[in-house]
Coordinates of all heavy atoms in Angstrom, one line a residue:
A1 N 14.6 -30.6 -53.9 CA 14.0 -29.4 -54.4 C 12.9 -29.7 -55.4 O 13.1 -30.6 -56.2 CB 15.1 -28.4 -54.9
D2 N 11.9 -28.8 -55.5 CA 10.9 -29.0 -56.4 C 11.4 -28.9 -57.9 O 12.4 -28.1 -58.1 CB 9.8 -27.9 -56.3 CG 8.7 -28.0 -57.3 OD1 8.1 -29.0 -57.3 OD2 8.5 -27.0 -58.0
N3 N 10.9 -29.7 -58.7 CA 11.3 -29.8 -60.1 C 10.2 -30.3 -61.0 O 9.2 -30.8 -60.4 CB 12.6 -30.5 -60.3 CG 12.5 -32.0 -59.9 OD1 12.0 -32.8 -60.7 ND2 12.9 -32.3 -58.7
T4 N 10.3 -30.2 -62.3 CA 9.2 -30.6 -63.1 C 8.8 -32.1 -63.0 O 7.7 -32.5 -63.1 CB 9.5 -30.3 -64.6 OG1 10.7 -30.9 -65.0 CG2 9.6 -28.8 -64.8
D5 N 9.8 -33.0 -62.7 CA 9.6 -34.4 -62.5 C 8.7 -34.7 -61.3 O 8.1 -35.8 -61.3 CB 10.9 -35.2 -62.4 CG 11.7 -35.2 -63.7 OD1 11.1 -34.8 -64.8 OD2 12.9 -35.6 -63.7
L6 N 8.7 -33.8 -60.3 CA 8.0 -34.0 -59.1 C 6.7 -33.2 -59.1 O 6.0 -33.1 -58.1 CB 8.8 -33.7 -57.9 CG 10.1 -34.5 -57.7 CD1 10.9 -34.0 -56.5 CD2 9.7 -36.0 -57.5
S7 N 6.3 -32.6 -60.2 CA 5.1 -31.7 -60.2 C 3.9 -32.5 -60.5 O 3.9 -33.4 -61.4 CB 5.3 -30.6 -61.3 OG 6.4 -29.8 -61.0
L8 N 2.8 -32.2 -59.9 CA 1.5 -32.8 -60.1 C 0.6 -31.9 -60.9 O 0.8 -30.6 -60.9 CB 0.8 -33.1 -58.8 CG 1.5 -34.1 -57.8 CD1 0.7 -34.2 -56.5 CD2 1.6 -35.5 -58.5
G9 N -0.4 -32.4 -61.6 CA -1.3 -31.6 -62.3 C -2.4 -31.1 -61.3 O -2.4 -31.4 -60.1
A10 N -3.4 -30.5 -61.9 CA -4.5 -29.9 -61.1 C -5.4 -31.0 -60.4 O -6.0 -30.8 -59.4 CB -5.4 -29.0 -61.9
D11 N -5.5 -32.2 -61.1 CA -6.2 -33.3 -60.5 C -5.5 -34.6 -60.9 O -6.1 -35.4 -61.6 CB -7.7 -33.2 -61.1 CG -8.6 -34.1 -60.2 OD1 -8.3 -34.4 -59.1 OD2 -9.8 -34.4 -60.7
Q12 N -4.3 -34.7 -60.3 CA -3.4 -35.8 -60.8 C -3.6 -37.1 -60.0 O -3.7 -37.1 -58.8 CB -2.0 -35.3 -60.6 CG -0.9 -36.3 -61.0 CD -0.8 -36.4 -62.5 OE1 -0.5 -35.4 -63.1 NE2 -1.0 -37.5 -63.0
A13 N -3.7 -38.2 -60.7 CA -3.6 -39.5 -60.1 C -2.2 -39.8 -59.8 O -1.3 -39.7 -60.6 CB -4.2 -40.6 -61.0
F14 N -1.9 -40.2 -58.5 CA -0.5 -40.6 -58.1 C -0.6 -41.5 -56.9 O -1.6 -41.6 -56.2 CB 0.4 -39.4 -57.9 CG 0.1 -38.7 -56.6 CD1 1.0 -38.8 -55.5 CD2 -1.0 -37.8 -56.5 CE1 0.7 -38.2 -54.3 CE2 -1.2 -37.1 -55.3 CZ -0.4 -37.3 -54.2
S15 N 0.6 -42.2 -56.7 CA 0.7 -43.0 -55.4 C 2.1 -42.9 -54.9 O 3.0 -42.6 -55.6 CB 0.3 -44.4 -55.7 OG 1.3 -45.0 -56.6
I16 N 2.2 -43.1 -53.6 CA 3.5 -43.1 -52.9 C 3.5 -44.4 -52.1 O 2.6 -44.8 -51.4 CB 3.6 -41.9 -51.9 CG1 3.6 -40.6 -52.7 CG2 4.8 -42.0 -51.0 CD1 3.5 -39.4 -51.8
S17 N 4.6 -45.1 -52.1 CA 4.7 -46.3 -51.4 C 6.0 -46.4 -50.6 O 7.1 -45.8 -51.0 CB 4.7 -47.6 -52.3 OG 5.9 -47.8 -52.9
A18 N 6.0 -47.0 -49.4 CA 7.2 -47.1 -48.6 C 7.0 -48.2 -47.5 O 5.9 -48.5 -47.1 CB 7.5 -45.7 -47.9
W19 N 8.2 -48.7 -47.1 CA 8.2 -49.6 -45.9 C 8.7 -48.7 -44.8 O 9.6 -47.9 -44.9 CB 9.2 -50.7 -46.1 CG 8.7 -51.8 -46.9 CD1 8.9 -52.0 -48.3 CD2 8.0 -53.0 -46.5 NE1 8.3 -53.1 -48.7 CE2 7.7 -53.8 -47.7 CE3 7.5 -53.4 -45.3 CZ2 7.0 -55.0 -47.6 CZ3 6.8 -54.6 -45.2 CH2 6.6 -55.4 -46.4
V20 N 8.0 -48.7 -43.6 CA 8.4 -47.9 -42.5 C 8.5 -48.7 -41.3 O 7.8 -49.7 -41.1 CB 7.3 -46.7 -42.3 CG1 7.3 -45.8 -43.5 CG2 6.0 -47.2 -42.0
Y21 N 9.4 -48.3 -40.4 CA 9.7 -49.0 -39.1 C 9.8 -47.9 -38.1 O 10.8 -47.1 -38.1 CB 10.9 -49.8 -39.3 CG 11.5 -50.6 -38.2 CD1 11.3 -52.0 -38.2 CD2 12.2 -50.0 -37.1 CE1 11.8 -52.8 -37.2 CE2 12.7 -50.8 -36.1 CZ 12.5 -52.2 -36.1 OH 13.0 -53.0 -35.1
L22 N 8.9 -47.8 -37.1 CA 8.9 -46.8 -36.1 C 9.7 -47.2 -34.9 O 9.4 -48.3 -34.3 CB 7.5 -46.5 -35.7 CG 6.6 -45.8 -36.8 CD1 5.1 -46.0 -36.4 CD2 6.9 -44.4 -37.0
D23 N 10.7 -46.4 -34.5 CA 11.4 -46.7 -33.3 C 10.6 -46.2 -32.1 O 10.8 -46.8 -31.0 CB 12.8 -46.0 -33.3 CG 13.8 -46.7 -34.2 OD1 13.6 -47.9 -34.5 OD2 14.8 -46.1 -34.6
S24 N 9.8 -45.2 -32.3 CA 9.0 -44.7 -31.2 C 7.8 -44.0 -31.8 O 7.8 -43.6 -33.0 CB 9.8 -43.7 -30.3 OG 10.3 -42.6 -31.1
L25 N 6.7 -43.8 -31.0 CA 5.5 -43.1 -31.4 C 5.6 -41.7 -30.7 O 5.2 -41.6 -29.5 CB 4.3 -43.9 -30.9 CG 4.1 -45.3 -31.5 CD1 2.9 -46.0 -30.9 CD2 4.2 -45.3 -33.0
D26 N 6.1 -40.7 -31.4 CA 6.5 -39.5 -30.8 C 5.3 -38.5 -30.7 O 4.3 -38.6 -31.4 CB 7.6 -38.8 -31.5 CG 8.9 -39.6 -31.4 OD1 9.5 -39.6 -30.3 OD2 9.3 -40.3 -32.4
S27 N 5.4 -37.6 -29.7 CA 4.3 -36.7 -29.3 C 3.9 -35.7 -30.4 O 2.8 -35.1 -30.3 CB 4.7 -36.0 -28.0 OG 5.9 -35.2 -28.2
T28 N 4.8 -35.5 -31.4 CA 4.4 -34.5 -32.5 C 4.3 -35.2 -33.8 O 4.3 -34.6 -34.8 CB 5.4 -33.4 -32.6 OG1 6.7 -33.9 -32.7 CG2 5.3 -32.5 -31.3
G29 N 4.3 -36.6 -33.8 CA 4.1 -37.3 -35.0 C 5.4 -37.6 -35.7 O 6.5 -37.1 -35.4
N30 N 5.4 -38.5 -36.7 CA 6.5 -38.9 -37.5 C 6.2 -38.8 -39.0 O 5.4 -39.6 -39.5 CB 6.9 -40.4 -37.2 CG 7.4 -40.6 -35.8 OD1 8.6 -40.6 -35.6 ND2 6.6 -40.7 -34.8
T31 N 6.8 -37.8 -39.7 CA 6.6 -37.7 -41.1 C 7.4 -38.7 -41.9 O 8.6 -38.9 -41.7 CB 7.0 -36.3 -41.6 OG1 6.1 -35.4 -41.1 CG2 7.0 -36.2 -43.1
I32 N 6.8 -39.4 -42.8 CA 7.4 -40.3 -43.7 C 7.9 -39.6 -45.0 O 9.1 -39.6 -45.3 CB 6.5 -41.5 -44.1 CG1 6.1 -42.3 -42.8 CG2 7.2 -42.4 -45.1 CD1 4.8 -43.1 -43.0
I33 N 7.0 -38.9 -45.6 CA 7.3 -38.1 -46.8 C 6.3 -36.9 -46.8 O 5.1 -37.1 -46.5 CB 7.3 -38.8 -48.1 CG1 7.7 -38.0 -49.3 CG2 5.9 -39.5 -48.4 CD1 8.0 -38.7 -50.6
A34 N 6.7 -35.7 -47.2 CA 5.9 -34.6 -47.3 C 6.4 -33.6 -48.4 O 7.6 -33.5 -48.6 CB 5.7 -33.8 -46.0
K35 N 5.5 -33.0 -49.1 CA 5.9 -31.8 -49.9 C 5.2 -30.6 -49.3 O 4.0 -30.4 -49.5 CB 5.4 -32.1 -51.4 CG 6.1 -31.1 -52.3 CD 5.8 -31.4 -53.8 CE 6.6 -30.4 -54.7 NZ 6.2 -30.4 -56.1
T36 N 6.0 -29.9 -48.5 CA 5.4 -28.8 -47.7 C 6.4 -27.7 -47.5 O 7.5 -27.7 -48.1 CB 4.9 -29.5 -46.3 OG1 4.3 -28.5 -45.5 CG2 6.1 -30.0 -45.6
D37 N 6.1 -26.8 -46.6 CA 6.9 -25.6 -46.5 C 6.7 -25.0 -45.1 O 5.5 -25.1 -44.6 CB 6.6 -24.6 -47.6 CG 7.6 -23.4 -47.6 OD1 8.7 -23.6 -48.1 OD2 7.3 -22.3 -47.1
D38 N 7.7 -24.4 -44.5 CA 7.5 -23.8 -43.1 C 6.8 -22.5 -43.1 O 6.6 -21.9 -42.1 CB 8.9 -23.7 -42.4 CG 9.9 -22.8 -43.2 OD1 9.5 -22.1 -44.1 OD2 11.0 -22.7 -42.7
T39 N 6.3 -22.0 -44.3 CA 5.5 -20.8 -44.3 C 4.0 -21.2 -44.1 O 3.2 -20.3 -43.9 CB 5.6 -20.1 -45.6 OG1 5.2 -20.9 -46.7 CG2 7.1 -19.6 -45.8
L40 N 3.7 -22.5 -44.2 CA 2.3 -22.9 -44.1 C 1.8 -22.9 -42.7 O 2.5 -23.3 -41.7 CB 2.1 -24.3 -44.7 CG 2.6 -24.5 -46.1 CD1 2.4 -25.9 -46.6 CD2 1.9 -23.5 -47.1
T41 N 0.5 -22.5 -42.5 CA 0.0 -22.5 -41.1 C -0.8 -23.8 -40.8 O -1.1 -24.0 -39.6 CB -1.0 -21.3 -41.0 OG1 -2.0 -21.4 -42.0 CG2 -0.2 -20.0 -41.1
T42 N -1.0 -24.6 -41.8 CA -1.6 -25.9 -41.5 C -1.1 -27.0 -42.5 O -0.7 -26.7 -43.6 CB -3.2 -25.8 -41.7 OG1 -3.7 -27.1 -41.6 CG2 -3.5 -25.2 -43.0
A43 N -1.0 -28.2 -42.0 CA -0.5 -29.3 -42.8 C -1.4 -29.5 -44.0 O -0.9 -30.0 -45.0 CB -0.3 -30.5 -42.0
L44 N -2.7 -29.2 -43.9 CA -3.6 -29.4 -45.0 C -3.3 -28.5 -46.2 O -3.8 -28.7 -47.3 CB -5.0 -29.2 -44.6 CG -5.6 -30.3 -43.6 CD1 -7.0 -30.0 -43.3 CD2 -5.5 -31.7 -44.3
A45 N -2.5 -27.5 -46.1 CA -2.1 -26.7 -47.2 C -0.9 -27.3 -47.9 O -0.5 -26.9 -49.0 CB -1.7 -25.3 -46.7
S46 N -0.3 -28.4 -47.4 CA 0.8 -29.1 -48.1 C 0.3 -29.7 -49.3 O -0.9 -30.0 -49.5 CB 1.3 -30.2 -47.1 OG 1.7 -29.7 -45.9
E47 N 1.2 -30.0 -50.3 CA 0.8 -30.7 -51.5 C 0.4 -32.1 -51.1 O -0.6 -32.7 -51.6 CB 2.0 -30.7 -52.5 CG 1.6 -31.2 -53.9 CD 2.6 -30.8 -54.9 OE1 3.3 -29.8 -54.8 OE2 2.7 -31.6 -55.9
F48 N 1.3 -32.8 -50.3 CA 0.9 -34.1 -49.7 C 1.7 -34.3 -48.4 O 2.8 -33.7 -48.3 CB 1.1 -35.2 -50.7 CG 2.4 -35.3 -51.3 CD1 3.5 -35.9 -50.6 CD2 2.6 -34.9 -52.6 CE1 4.8 -36.0 -51.2 CE2 3.9 -35.0 -53.2 CZ 5.0 -35.6 -52.5

């Protein structure tokens, strides 16, 4: 859940790192990490 430790500023420098291993290349994509919501009409409205 969203909390102050995970909050970004208005123009925040940040990075995300991960090792990923794909079992398959699926037809609707594979999310590694996202801060998003099912009320959004486009993924570009996501925080990341």
